[in-house]
Amino acid sequence: ETGVTQTPRHLVMGMTNKKSLKCEQHLGHNAMYWYKQSAKKPLELMFVYSLEERVENNSVPSRFSPECPNSSHLFLHLHTLQPEDSALYLCASSQVRGANEKLFFGSGTQLSVL
Amino acid sequence: GQNIDQPTEMTATEGAIVQINCTYQTSGFNGLFWYQQHAGEAPTFLSYNVLDGLEEKGRFSSFLSRSKGYSYLLLKELQMKDSASYLCAAFYNDYKLSFGAGTTVTVRA
């Protein structure tokens, strides 16, 4: 138990669907992250929120839309996805956004786009 | 992002030692993380090295050479539960944390 909870664990969606991934952290952290993990590839940082403000957006397509309503919750809204978006989506948090801050990860949402 | 290189797979016998190497680009480098990720689970923090040298935590040790852009994770007295993916990640000045693709370690009985 890392203190970061992601739902759902698995998601299958068609290319025309709209769905949302949810992340909740119970650690009192101020920074939250979305990562994409594809097989045999490095983790790709998608978005960073610090104190509920988006501070980083790594050229992610607009079909992915993050939302951070408060410091404990993070969402990733999905619409009109492509099959190549199939991957494990990991949420993480850290005390603050900084150099020596270790990340606490959730178990991820395994997404399959048909 | 910065290129982080680590082997794709390693296999070792229970009770043995395995060393997972990681190389990274040194420009703007701050520190080096190691994470462990069991299949279907969250990555969990193992170690963070900023200074040169070896840091030991029980059966696991991590080494860093800043001048060579090199780190390794040493797993001693391997147990079956150590079968997992091990992720090397380098932190850079511009808040960039670059991950390697991970090394899958399989421990055989």
Side-chain angles (χ1 to χ4, degrees):
Chain A
E1 179 58 50
T2 64
V4 180
T5 304
Q6 287 187 246
T7 55
R9 289 296 305 272
H10 301 274
L11 178 63
V12 179
M13 58 187 289
M15 289 190 284
T16 58
N17 292 158
K18 289 185 180 181
K19 296 286 184 183
S20 295
L21 310 185
K22 179 182 176 182
C23 176
E24 182 175 3
Q25 55 99 357
H26 311 276
L27 302 167
H29 288 169
N30 291 313
M32 295 188 77
Y33 311 76
W34 279 116
Y35 279 90
K36 176 183 180 182
Q37 187 175 35
S38 302
K40 306 299 183 185
K41 292 185 177 179
L43 267 69
E44 300 174 45
L45 179 63
M46 300 175 72
F47 302 104
V48 181
Y49 277 83
S50 178
L51 297 171
E52 300 161 41
E53 178 182 345
R54 190 191 311 180
V55 295
E56 194 162 341
N57 176 345
N58 283 326
S59 302
V60 179
S62 59
R63 58 185 182 268
F64 294 90
S65 175
E67 178 189 3
C68 187
N70 54 62
S71 60
S72 298
H73 293 87
L74 186 65
F75 294 90
L76 188 62
H77 304 299
L78 316 172
H79 65 97
T80 60
L81 294 191
Q82 303 299 310
E84 61 264 29
D85 297 323
S86 298
L88 180 68
Y89 289 85
L90 290 166
C91 172
S93 70
S94 63
Q95 184 63 53
V96 295
R97 181 174 174 244
N100 62 348
E101 290 296 325
K102 62 185 179 183
L103 298 175
F104 291 77
F105 286 90
S107 297
T109 295
Q110 186 65 54
L111 174 66
S112 296
V113 181
L114 304 178
Chain B
Q2 308 278 3
N3 287 336
I4 311 297
D5 291 318
Q6 55 180 128
T8 304
E9 295 179 340
M10 301 183 76
T11 301
T13 306
E14 201 172 11
I17 298 173
V18 70
Q19 177 175 314
I20 307 170
N21 296 324
C22 172
T23 58
Y24 60 87
Q25 295 178 340
T26 58
S27 177
F29 172 78
N30 266 321
L32 197 290
F33 289 91
W34 285 97
Y35 287 86
Q36 179 192 58
Q37 185 178 21
H38 286 100
E41 297 184 13
T44 55
F45 171 83
L46 287 178
S47 64
Y48 180 61
N49 293 66
V50 176
L51 302 176
D52 285 353
L54 184 69
E55 293 195 7
E56 298 186 67
K57 284 186 182 179
R59 295 187 300 111
F60 292 6
S61 303
S62 56
F63 172 84
L64 181 68
S65 169
R66 296 180 68 99
S67 61
K68 295 182 179 179
Y70 169 70
S71 172
Y72 67 73
L73 181 69
L74 192 68
L75 315 180
K76 294 180 282 189
E77 301 169 21
L78 278 174
Q79 302 176 9
M80 298 300 288
K81 66 179 181 179
D82 299 329
S83 293
S85 180
Y86 292 85
L87 310 178
C88 173
F91 201 99
Y92 291 91
N93 285 339
D94 54 355
Y95 288 101
K96 297 296 183 187
L97 181 64
S98 293
F99 281 85
T103 299
T104 300
V105 172
T106 301
V107 181
R108 299 176 307 191

